[in-house]
Amino acid sequence: MGNKRKIKERREEKSLANREAYTRMNFLYQASQTVLMENPVNLELSRFYAFTMKSIGQKLLCKMDPSIKRTICKYCHSILVPGLTSTIRVKAKRERHLVVTCLDCGTLKRFNTCKNYQLWSEQQQAEMKQQPEGQYSGQEQKTQQNKNPGLKHRS
């Protein structure tokens, strides 16, 4: 019984740490946007906040929402505000898509504009299924078998 209690405590600690990280990332994103909107000359400060936010997410393995990811340049880390730091064009080559160009570094981002298009994270395939505690997933079973070659998996 003590083992289940330890697992539960670890989950609570991890969720608390993630909550703090997401709160910090949210604050930095809002600060970055506010600094840029109040005075567009403060582009470097805004970039610094966005870069710090991305590095926190990478270090703590916290995923950003796709809507936030789309508003940050991958290369110069500036917030993409239409007309201020980016331009937006609708192109009809191949398939109809949206092209966002960063005015600082010239990086392009392309987004699909089909009617039925859904982000992968919004599809039902992306939803994780809950497994009962104590059961291994397929990958974990393979790892366990590699560690113990005498152990055979029964299906």
Side-chain angles (χ1 to χ4, degrees):
M1 290 295 170
N3 204 11
K4 287 183 181 180
R5 184 179 294 156
K6 287 180 185 178
I7 291 171
K8 191 174 182 180
E9 288 175 2
R10 284 184 200 148
R11 283 185 187 161
E12 289 174 1
E13 288 174 11
K14 188 175 181 182
S15 68
L16 180 63
N18 285 346
R19 189 178 311 135
E20 290 175 2
Y22 281 118
T23 304
R24 196 173 335 149
M25 289 168 61
N26 183 21
F27 173 78
L28 287 169
Y29 182 72
Q30 289 179 8
S32 178
Q33 277 190 325
T34 305
V35 164
L36 189 62
M37 291 300 180
E38 296 224 354
N39 190 2
V41 177
N42 289 335
L43 184 62
E44 289 301 317
L45 183 60
S46 174
R47 277 187 190 165
F48 174 74
Y49 288 154
F51 176 75
T52 307
M53 179 192 68
K54 282 182 92 173
S55 63
I56 288 170
Q58 287 174 347
K59 286 178 185 175
L60 298 176
L61 300 176
C62 297
K63 294 189 177 188
M64 278 193 284
D65 190 65
S67 61
I68 292 176
K69 261 189 194 178
R70 288 181 170 204
T71 61
I72 299 174
C73 180
K74 271 187 172 182
Y75 296 97
C76 67
H77 306 290
S78 63
I79 300 290
L80 298 174
V81 179
L84 189 62
T85 58
S86 68
T87 58
I88 297 179
R89 301 282 184 253
V90 177
K91 301 269 180 148
K93 278 188 179 177
R94 294 178 253 140
E95 292 181 11
R96 194 171 176 168
H97 61 279
L98 194 73
V99 179
V100 179
T101 308
C102 178
L103 296 177
D104 297 324
C105 64
T107 304
L108 300 175
K109 282 188 165 196
R110 292 181 180 87
F111 303 110
N112 202 349
T113 57
C114 293
K115 285 183 181 179
N116 299 329
Y117 181 75
Q118 278 188 325
L119 292 173
W120 188 83
S121 61
E122 294 172 355
Q123 294 176 4
Q124 287 188 356
Q125 297 171 350
E127 293 179 13
M128 295 182 69
K129 296 178 183 171
Q130 291 285 335
Q131 286 186 342
E133 289 183 28
Q135 290 186 355
Y136 294 111
S137 67
Q139 184 65 29
E140 290 172 340
Q141 287 175 352
K142 289 177 186 175
T143 330
Q144 290 293 330
Q145 286 177 356
N146 291 342
K147 288 180 182 175
N148 302 327
L151 182 68
K152 299 213 175 189
H153 176 67
R154 294 181 187 170
S155 299

